[in-house]
Amino acid sequence: MKAHMLSILVENRAGVLSRVAGLFSRRGFNIESLAVGVCEEPNMSRITVVAYGDDAQIEQVKKQLNKLIDIVKVSDITYRDHVARELALIKVNAETGASRAEIMQIATIFRAKIIDVGTRTVVLEVTGDSEKIDALEKLLRHYGIKELVRTGRIAILRGLKTVKSQKPE
Amino acid sequence: MKTGANILIESLAREGVDIIFGYPGGSVLPIYDELYDSSIRHILMRHEQAAIHAADGYARASGRVGVCLATSGPGACNLVTGIATAYMDSVPVVAITGQVPTSMLGNDAFQESDITGITLPVTKHNYLVKDANELAGVVREAFYIAKTGRNGPVLIDLPKDVNTDLVKNPVPAPDIVSLRGYQPTYRGHARQIERAIQLLMEAERPIIYAGGGVIASGASQELVEIAERLLLPVTSTLMGLGCIPCDHPLNLGMLGMHGTEYANFAVTECDFMLAVGVRFDDRVTGKLETFAPHAKIVHIDIDPAEIGKNKPADVPIVGDAKTVLRDILARVSTRDAASPWLQKIDAWKKNHPLRYNDGDGLHPQFIIQQLSDLLAGEGIIVSEVGQNQMWAAQYYCFRHPRQWLSSGGLGTMGYGFPAAIGAHFARPDEQVFDIAGDGSFQMNIQELGTVAHYNIPVRIAILNNMYLGMVRQWQELFYDRRYSYTELPSVDFVKIAQAYGIEGMRVESRDEVRPALQAAIDAEGPFVLDFRIEREENVFPMVPAGAAINEMIGGHQQ
Ligand SMILES: Cc1ncc(C[n+]2csc(CCOP(=O)(O)OP(=O)(O)O)c2C)c(N)n1
Ligand SMILES: [Mg+2]
């Protein structure tokens, strides 16, 4: 079992997300993370799904996804040269001046931004791969995380290649 | 100015629809009002499940798209089993449902149900139309999707206001549908076809394993031609019956759980398998590891997701069965007959024929054989589900594709009778028989009302064992004869038929079988035959669930 990253180009129609999500759950896969947004093509969206499965299982899911009428392209980019990012917003306790200073130091090391400062909390914004965000979260736990919001992973191929320009697999 | 309902009926007519099976209700009143003076015929069924099965039977018998219509909420929900049935067997139907007005969507309004959500996993595609302007295009697309690629059901959900809205200049349907996300492959890959032929020519013990895809693609003729030219024995799935005439010397009949011994032996020993329009279903393969263990497998299917799903293929060919088989035919002439193999198969056929205990009492297999004989293997045979289905599949001598309609993938009891009604309207000149079980028949028995109403000459032959026979058989074999809730009390089906004004006859002995069948065949209208068969007759041979298919019980080894 391995985390696979699927980049799915879909027609921007009502219900398309539930078609995609439903297919995963129907075939017994948990979606690890999901990100949806408009993309470079008009009336299209790109969905990035991270799901665990062996290569054969993921291949089967890919074929099933391809059968959905609203889905234009499905690419498994797990083994292709890509960069991936997630975004997290973390609200941390910062009651004392000392902890506040430490948190700001940690933020600098992680190239996180402080985007809100309250009397008793600060909010950090961080982007990076999952491991980086996990590491930051672990460090901040010491101060008390009041709330953590994390997006699904998004990814893009390196260099000239695009997911769109690939032939349908 | 046109209303949505107007556009809908016009669009259906443009798709060549001549008949709709349906049931009215509040949200579809505007559509029914259009139907009142439309040239499209509407058959009022007695249950929405029957409407979708009838549309399915119409589609399977004709190869055209079947259409059904139901109201919102309960009406739409009653379609679900039938949609799932059509989905599992890849049948092209378009189901049209009413919906609450768009302004009320999502409010739990009276008779609202999220039918596009509910049917998401059992439709090839579905639509909730929110603008009457889109309607013509949606109908065009729906028919296109249902009937191309791997066929399947498509649902169109129409809120009431979409049906009543006036549209000034409705957007016409495109002449050619083009969908970026849907481009089925018809032509097989040339190099793969080359490889397939090479393996085929090298084979010593080849076999063809043919399924519903052969029927759907209209490839039966090509299949028989390949078989004859290259001397390939053919076994077919439940869904593939009729792709080769039953009495063809190369035919091995059905394989799998209730297949013939010789088909299952041949599959187990073959060294090459040409799998066409099949999906290696568990009822066919039994234990997967021992299914065709020595074979190089060439798998032809229009749905890439079926190839390699259950059994890896040595040569996968994505494409339409007819197109691919034609391409193969164009490149092969003859093959040195592997006569030892065919001799071996002939010996199996001789020594392990289908058989039953033909002693005293009324045996269902005998009834099917007599019917097959009387109709000379012609006509349309529809089945219910259970033992009746397997006996019909085993003992009727099918000669043509689209002659055998049965719920294979879902195994839906209650399918047969309404599907037979649909089949009649598809091919009114054919004798249509529903081979029924007493349990299944009672699942859509209300359709006696429909056949009486329209005087539809469908014949129902109930193989009445007063049991949910197939379940009882499993209880007998695997649960120590503990017949838990499978016994059905006797029902006087003839009297029920008579109450609807339908002729019927009870048959209790062997001698009465032929005259009774003949009476049904000669009847002007519908006819019910209540055959009181041996109650504990079993379907044999049988591969126990999860066993290898050459490990059959009730065969000749014992
Ligand atoms: C709708 C539905 N419910 C339950 C079943 C499970 N089932 C399969 S065969 C069968 C018994 C069918 O009885 P009957 O129609 O009398 O046919 P027989 O096997 O006796 O010929 C049952 C209950 C089913 N296939 N479909
Ligand atoms: Mg029965």
Side-chain angles (χ1 to χ4, degrees):
Chain A
M1 296 272 272
K2 181 176 169 46
H4 282 255
M5 211 182 312
L6 300 181
S7 183
I8 309 168
L9 188 66
V10 302
E11 303 257 12
N12 208 344
R13 295 214 186 102
V16 63
L17 185 59
S18 64
R19 287 179 201 278
V20 171
L23 199 142
F24 276 87
S25 65
R26 218 158 43 242
R27 307 255 158 205
F29 287 92
N30 278 333
I31 291 180
E32 183 74 13
S33 104
L34 177 90
V36 196
V38 294
C39 63
E40 72 284 354
E41 292 201 50
N43 307 320
M44 295 270 168
S45 289
R46 186 165 272 118
I47 302 178
T48 313
V49 173
V50 180
Y52 281 92
D54 61 38
D55 289 356
Q57 287 170 325
I58 296 293
E59 180 63 22
Q60 180 62 21
V61 170
K62 229 177 81 183
K63 285 178 174 177
Q64 296 292 348
L65 284 168
N66 265 318
K67 281 170 69 169
L68 297 178
I69 309 287
D70 289 339
I71 286 191
V72 174
K73 198 152 296 176
V74 186
S75 304
D76 184 352
I77 59 172
T78 316
Y79 301 110
R80 308 181 63 196
D81 198 12
H82 66 266
V83 279
R85 289 291 180 270
E86 284 170 41
L87 167 73
L89 302 178
I90 310 171
K91 186 176 289 178
V92 195
N93 279 329
E95 308 255 357
T96 64
S99 61
R100 208 168 271 246
E102 281 176 31
I103 290 167
M104 295 192 18
Q105 240 176 351
I106 293 172
T108 314
I109 295 167
F110 278 83
R111 294 208 208 137
K113 273 191 275 181
I114 308 273
I115 55 170
D116 181 63
V117 182
T119 50
R120 298 157 69 183
T121 59
V122 295
V123 175
L124 281 75
E125 174 202 305
V126 61
T127 55
D129 56 24
S130 311
E131 290 74 26
K132 173 177 165 186
I133 295 172
D134 290 347
L136 177 61
E137 184 199 332
K138 209 167 143 198
L139 278 177
L140 293 176
R141 227 182 273 150
H142 172 71
Y143 305 92
I145 293 178
K146 290 191 81 69
E147 193 174 354
L148 183 144
V149 186
R150 213 164 148 163
T151 64
R153 197 184 304 174
I154 55 173
I156 201 160
L157 295 176
R158 287 181 187 274
L160 264 180
K161 294 204 177 77
T162 63
V163 160
K164 177 182 57 176
S165 66
Q166 257 183 297
K167 290 222 330 225
E169 294 141 314
Chain B
M1 294 282 253
K2 282 179 183 165
T3 65
N6 225 219
I7 298 171
L8 172 71
I9 299 300
E10 271 182 22
S11 305
L12 292 176
R14 204 171 316 117
E15 299 299 328
V17 175
D18 54 4
I19 193 163
I20 296 176
F21 304 92
Y23 208 91
S27 70
V28 286
L29 275 167
I31 303 175
Y32 271 85
D33 194 57
E34 279 301 318
L35 283 171
Y36 190 70
D37 39 25
S38 161
S39 63
I40 298 180
R41 192 164 178 204
H42 173 276
I43 302 296
L44 176 67
M45 307 299 286
R46 295 301 184 269
H47 191 299
E48 289 87 354
Q49 186 190 352
I52 174 83
H53 288 328
D56 171 314
Y58 177 93
R60 294 193 208 214
S62 67
R64 296 193 297 275
V65 178
V67 181
C68 70
L69 172 60
T71 194
S72 66
C77 287
N78 273 344
L79 295 179
V80 172
T81 305
I83 294 174
T85 303
Y87 185 69
M88 288 293 271
D89 289 343
S90 310
V91 181
V93 294
V94 169
I96 297 160
T97 50
Q99 182 55 281
V100 301
T102 45
S103 59
M104 294 189 194
L105 275 174
N107 281 346
D108 303 322
F110 177 63
Q111 296 198 325
E112 174 175 7
S113 64
D114 173 13
I115 198 63
T116 46
I118 290 171
T119 59
L120 207 72
V122 291
T123 46
K124 185 168 173 188
H125 196 52
N126 63 25
Y127 298 88
L128 170 58
V129 183
K130 289 189 182 158
D131 178 354
N133 258 308
E134 296 171 2
L135 199 46
V138 164
V139 171
R140 169 58 47 90
E141 238 178 73
F143 276 76
Y144 173 75
I145 290 170
K147 193 63 196 92
T148 52
R150 179 176 183 177
N151 292 185
V154 178
L155 180 135
I156 305 175
D157 198 22
L158 294 176
K160 191 167 182 179
D161 54 322
V162 172
N163 287 316
T164 51
D165 275 351
L166 284 170
V167 183
K168 264 211 201 84
N169 300 305
V171 182
D175 286 336
I176 294 163
V177 180
S178 130
L179 295 163
R180 272 187 77 182
Y182 177 67
Q183 275 145 21
T185 309
Y186 286 83
R187 175 129 262 154
H189 196 285
R191 209 162 45 225
Q192 297 293 76
I193 290 176
E194 222 34 83
R195 279 181 61 205
I197 293 173
Q198 196 186 338
L199 287 179
L200 171 57
M201 290 308 176
E202 288 164 3
E204 284 173 12
R205 302 184 304 281
I207 194 171
I208 294 179
Y209 157 38
V214 174
I215 311 278
S217 111
S220 305
Q221 208 186 319
E222 287 77 5
L223 186 96
V224 173
E225 206 173 323
I226 287 196
E228 287 175 349
R229 208 188 280 179
L230 304 179
L231 292 171
L232 307 172
V234 179
T235 179
S236 64
T237 66
L238 183 77
M239 299 301 298
L241 290 175
C243 69
I244 181 167
C246 78
D247 50 4
H248 194 288
L250 289 166
N251 180 34
L252 299 178
M254 186 167 74
L255 80 168
M257 181 172 276
H258 292 297
T260 62
E261 285 179 88
Y262 40 94
N264 286 345
F265 292 159
V267 166
T268 306
E269 289 203 14
C270 73
D271 68 353
F272 173 88
M273 175 177 264
L274 185 63
V276 195
V278 291
R279 55 192 181 87
F280 293 82
D281 178 72
D282 52 273
R283 283 293 188 265
V284 162
T285 62
K287 193 171 161 195
L288 257 180
E289 301 76 59
T290 51
F291 182 77
H294 315 295
K296 289 263 186 262
I297 296 175
V298 173
H299 191 177
I300 303 168
D301 204 283
I302 195 150
D303 180 359
E306 285 304 342
I307 299 182
K309 183 181 81 177
N310 294 335
K311 185 98 184 163
D314 296 283
V315 181
I317 302 179
V318 177
D320 163 57
K322 191 186 187 81
T323 314
V324 174
L325 292 182
R326 280 196 171 164
D327 281 349
I328 294 178
L329 274 170
R331 291 178 214 196
V332 295
S333 42
T334 51
R335 197 174 67 96
D336 291 336
S339 50
W341 174 234
L342 291 178
Q343 279 161 13
K344 192 165 191 181
I345 285 177
D346 282 339
W348 279 328
K349 275 175 132 174
K350 195 173 315 133
N351 300 324
H352 301 263
L354 280 176
R355 59 163 187 187
Y356 60 94
N357 171 9
D358 199 10
D360 286 345
L362 189 50
H363 296 277
Q365 302 91 335
F366 174 77
I367 297 167
I368 306 288
Q369 282 178 329
Q370 292 306 307
L371 179 63
S372 186
D373 192 46
L374 282 169
L375 294 180
E378 300 291 329
I380 297 175
I381 306 298
V382 190
S383 85
E384 298 291 348
V385 168
Q387 294 182 312
N388 58 84
Q389 177 182 35
M390 292 301 129
W391 287 319
Q394 290 179 330
Y395 287 94
Y396 199 90
C397 185
F398 297 102
R399 292 173 192 286
H400 315 286
R402 301 199 182 280
Q403 204 194 346
W404 162 243
L405 321 182
S406 191
S407 169
L410 202 65
T412 308
M413 288 172 69
Y415 167 81
F417 183 21
I421 295 173
H424 163 75
F425 286 106
R427 286 156 64 188
D429 297 334
E430 297 282 351
Q431 284 283 340
V432 181
F433 269 80
D434 174 31
I435 307 293
D438 47 325
S440 301
F441 182 50
Q442 291 185 78
M443 282 215 174
N444 273 317
I445 194 168
Q446 78 286 342
E447 295 311 311
L448 286 169
T450 310
V451 293
H453 179 170
Y454 298 98
N455 196 33
I456 301 168
V458 161
R459 294 81 170 80
I460 301 128
I462 309 167
L463 305 179
N464 188 351
N465 48 16
M466 293 194 266
Y467 275 119
L468 297 173
M470 186 56 95
V471 184
R472 184 208 56 74
Q473 175 170 342
W474 283 57
Q475 288 172 334
E476 176 184 337
L477 298 173
F478 310 117
Y479 290 86
D480 219 11
R481 298 184 65 95
R482 287 155 56 88
Y483 294 167
S484 181
Y485 300 101
T486 42
E487 188 162 12
L488 297 171
S490 173
V491 175
D492 192 336
F493 289 111
V494 174
K495 270 207 185 127
I496 291 182
Q498 282 166 352
Y500 279 96
I502 294 169
E503 274 187 276
M505 204 183 275
R506 180 186 290 194
V507 182
E508 282 165 323
S509 72
R510 203 184 153 89
D511 307 337
E512 299 169 312
V513 170
R514 261 181 107 91
L517 287 169
Q518 192 61 54
I521 291 167
D522 294 340
E524 299 262 300
F527 205 96
V528 172
L529 289 163
D530 182 2
F531 290 102
R532 298 297 173 124
I533 61 167
E534 281 299 294
R535 294 196 63 202
E536 300 200 18
E537 187 83 47
N538 284 330
V539 179
F540 286 130
M542 176 180 193
V543 179
I549 60 167
N550 61 344
E551 294 164 3
M552 283 163 285
I553 52 177
H556 292 73
Q557 307 99 314
Q558 280 89 5

